Coordinates of all heavy atoms in Angstrom, one line a residue:
C93 N 140.4 -57.5 189.0 CA 140.5 -56.6 187.9 C 139.4 -56.9 186.9 O 139.1 -58.0 186.5 CB 141.9 -56.9 187.2 SG 142.2 -56.1 185.7
C96 N 141.4 -58.6 183.5 CA 142.0 -59.9 183.5 C 141.4 -60.8 184.5 O 141.6 -62.0 184.5 CB 143.5 -59.8 183.6 SG 144.0 -59.4 185.3
C136 N 143.9 -54.0 187.7 CA 145.3 -54.2 188.1 C 146.2 -53.2 187.3 O 145.7 -52.6 186.3 CB 145.8 -55.6 187.9 SG 146.0 -56.1 186.2
C139 N 146.9 -54.0 183.5 CA 145.7 -53.8 182.7 C 145.4 -52.4 182.6 O 144.8 -51.9 181.5 CB 144.6 -54.6 183.2 SG 144.7 -56.4 182.9
Ligands
ZN1 ZN1 144.2 -57.0 185.1

Side-chain angles (χ1 to χ4, degrees):
C93 172
C96 72
C136 71
C139 288

